[in-house]
Amino acid sequence: MNDEATPHYQDIIDQMRFGMKFCMEEFGVLSNTQWTIDPFGHSAAHALLMSQLGFKQIVVNRIHYQDYKERLNSGRLQFIYRPFNNKLGKKILYHVIPYHYGQGQCEFCAEEFKPNKESSLIASSAEKMINNIMRIRKGYTNQDIIMHLMGDDFTYT
């Protein structure tokens, strides 16, 4: 992830190329998904550059609150974006996480949760998870798969 809101386009390209090279050399993998988990702003130029660098989708957790509210209520938290309505045919899939990246289900990763606890705690935690998934599902129409994050900053320390 790079700073999306204010950098010069050459800095974005250089940083992404450096990261892509690192992932290829270290892991033998070149991802086509960008994970911008905590950006403070977006630009159409960023989306255009990502699509031209070969990314097919971007996962984000922050968008303008009015846009978020409208998309949540209309089931459009996942959408196809054509930056600048460009004629190059470049498009990119945006997936907006319906909550802060750490406000998913954490009962199963909490320090005090132990697998040998009583079964009522496990059932209660599972029920909370199901209810949470059903609540956020309304933000995505025509979806059979929902991304559900677990944990938060410093959860596993």
Side-chain angles (χ1 to χ4, degrees):
M1 175 183 155
N2 60 275
D3 179 17
E4 294 184 30
T6 60
H8 189 270
Y9 72 93
Q10 189 61 54
D11 295 328
I12 295 172
I13 294 169
D14 288 347
Q15 185 174 2
M16 294 309 297
R17 286 180 53 211
F18 178 83
M20 293 165 88
K21 181 180 178 214
F22 174 82
C23 288
M24 183 55 80
E25 289 174 355
E26 290 295 315
F27 307 111
V29 173
L30 187 59
S31 177
N32 63 3
T33 301
Q34 187 187 37
W35 177 262
T36 55
I37 194 65
D38 205 11
F40 290 88
H42 302 281
S43 69
H46 177 265
L48 180 63
L49 287 171
M50 293 305 106
S51 69
Q52 291 176 337
L53 285 169
F55 289 98
K56 303 291 184 208
Q57 52 267 340
I58 297 177
V59 177
V60 300
N61 79 313
R62 290 179 195 256
I63 61 175
H64 190 276
Y65 74 94
Q66 290 174 325
D67 188 24
Y68 171 80
K69 185 176 178 181
E70 181 180 318
R71 289 184 178 284
L72 177 66
N73 292 333
S74 64
R76 296 182 302 122
L77 285 176
Q78 184 166 288
F79 57 96
I80 301 292
Y81 182 41
R82 288 188 188 276
F84 298 113
N85 292 320
N86 67 72
K87 295 174 179 45
L88 301 173
K90 293 287 186 181
K91 59 186 178 185
I92 196 158
L93 175 72
Y94 262 72
H95 178 92
V96 180
I97 299 169
Y99 43 78
H100 180 272
Y101 61 87
Q103 293 181 2
Q105 192 76 13
C106 279
E107 281 84 2
F108 295 112
C109 57
E111 188 69 35
E112 61 275 359
F113 182 82
K114 304 291 181 217
N116 61 357
K117 289 260 185 158
E118 60 188 77
S119 61
S120 63
L121 175 62
I122 295 170
S124 170
S125 294
E127 185 176 342
K128 284 180 186 177
M129 177 181 275
I130 291 168
N131 290 338
N132 191 31
I133 291 170
M134 296 308 289
R135 180 182 58 80
I136 66 173
R137 189 172 191 272
K138 73 177 186 172
Y140 307 94
T141 56
N142 303 320
Q143 296 286 69
D144 292 329
I145 299 172
I146 302 294
M147 180 187 302
H148 185 70
L149 306 176
M150 295 176 71
D152 199 342
D153 295 340
F154 312 110
T155 298
Y156 300 103
T157 57

